[in-house]
Amino acid sequence: MEERACMIAEAGYEVISRYGIRRATMNDIAQAAGVSRQTVYNIFPNREELLHGVIRYHFWHKWNEISEAVDQVENREERIAILLDRLVVRSWESMQAMPHADELELEIDTTMRERIADIHQEAATNLCEFFSPYERQLSSRGMTAKGIGEMLHLAFVGMKLSSTSQAQLETVVGTMKACLLAVTE
């Protein structure tokens, strides 16, 4: 994404987080981005394109944050903890803080499912790459980095959407961390 599109997508995420998907307007997003409404439409011709851009930007930003954090750490346990915290726990907390998060989930599920398939594929690929340094350990257990990455992606999506409390999410994340440490040891 070009710089102006990123700026608008970031503003879109903030506005949607504050008002909800159905109450966020292109005017609100333009104002938050510090651009004209026409500029928003020039980059994102309609609401669906804008939502796709917001989701893509949010995923890209989240993954860069994870990559930068794990690049600073050699310890396998810390790397996995960072991954789980940033990709699952913080994402879940972010969704819980949004008013009308259920509307966003419904909007994404009904109108954007096919549009965001590329983002889901990229997420699974990034997770596969994250676990590729542990390919030897995984192989000795009959697993692959690709299999672990794809399984985790599907699990993370489900956890963020179906966890009903912080305590439940933390229990599942703790169990997942223990499992990942065991299979990559």
Side-chain angles (χ1 to χ4, degrees):
M1 290 177 101
E2 66 137 45
E3 185 177 338
R4 189 175 273 185
C6 288
M7 181 179 65
I8 293 168
E10 182 177 16
Y13 183 79
E14 292 170 13
V15 169
I16 290 168
S17 294
R18 192 173 336 130
Y19 300 125
I21 186 71
R22 294 193 179 144
R23 287 156 198 81
T25 67
M26 294 296 235
N27 284 335
D28 295 331
I29 293 166
Q31 186 176 19
V35 298
S36 71
R37 184 171 171 230
Q38 187 58 50
T39 300
V40 174
Y41 278 111
N42 288 344
I43 294 172
F44 300 107
N46 56 50
R47 190 173 181 83
E48 185 177 306
E49 290 295 322
L50 176 66
L51 186 55
H52 185 256
V54 166
I55 294 167
R56 172 162 287 297
Y57 174 80
H58 181 68
F59 168 75
W60 173 81
H61 185 267
K62 174 83 55 197
W63 194 259
N64 280 346
E65 181 184 300
I66 291 166
S67 294
E68 287 175 13
V70 299
D71 283 349
Q72 306 300 314
V73 176
E74 292 288 324
N75 180 289
R76 176 176 51 92
E77 184 172 352
E78 287 181 54
R79 291 172 58 86
I80 290 172
I82 290 167
L83 175 74
L84 294 173
D85 178 62
R86 306 271 168 88
L87 202 56
V88 180
V89 176
R90 291 186 189 186
S91 294
W92 184 85
E93 290 171 345
S94 168
M95 286 294 287
Q96 296 306 305
M98 282 185 186
H100 314 291
D102 56 331
E103 291 176 0
L104 179 59
E105 292 170 16
L106 182 62
E107 180 85 17
I108 290 170
D109 192 46
T110 57
T111 63
M112 298 293 295
R113 181 180 296 251
E114 290 179 17
R115 291 292 318 275
I116 63 172
D118 60 325
I119 298 169
H120 284 290
Q121 183 57 50
E122 189 176 341
T125 299
N126 288 350
L127 285 165
C128 296
E129 289 173 9
F130 182 90
F131 285 95
S132 65
Y134 312 108
E135 190 74 54
R136 185 180 50 78
Q137 296 91 324
L138 292 169
S139 179
S140 72
R141 291 167 172 79
M143 301 177 188
T144 64
K146 182 177 182 352
I148 288 287
E150 290 175 354
M151 178 199 70
L152 288 175
H153 172 66
L154 294 173
F156 293 167
V157 169
M159 287 166 49
K160 288 187 285 188
L161 297 177
S162 64
S163 295
T164 57
S165 71
Q166 181 84 29
Q168 180 191 36
L169 184 73
E170 288 174 2
T171 298
V172 172
V173 167
T175 302
M176 186 172 281
K177 180 181 174 187
C179 291
L180 291 170
L181 288 171
V183 299
T184 59
E185 188 170 31

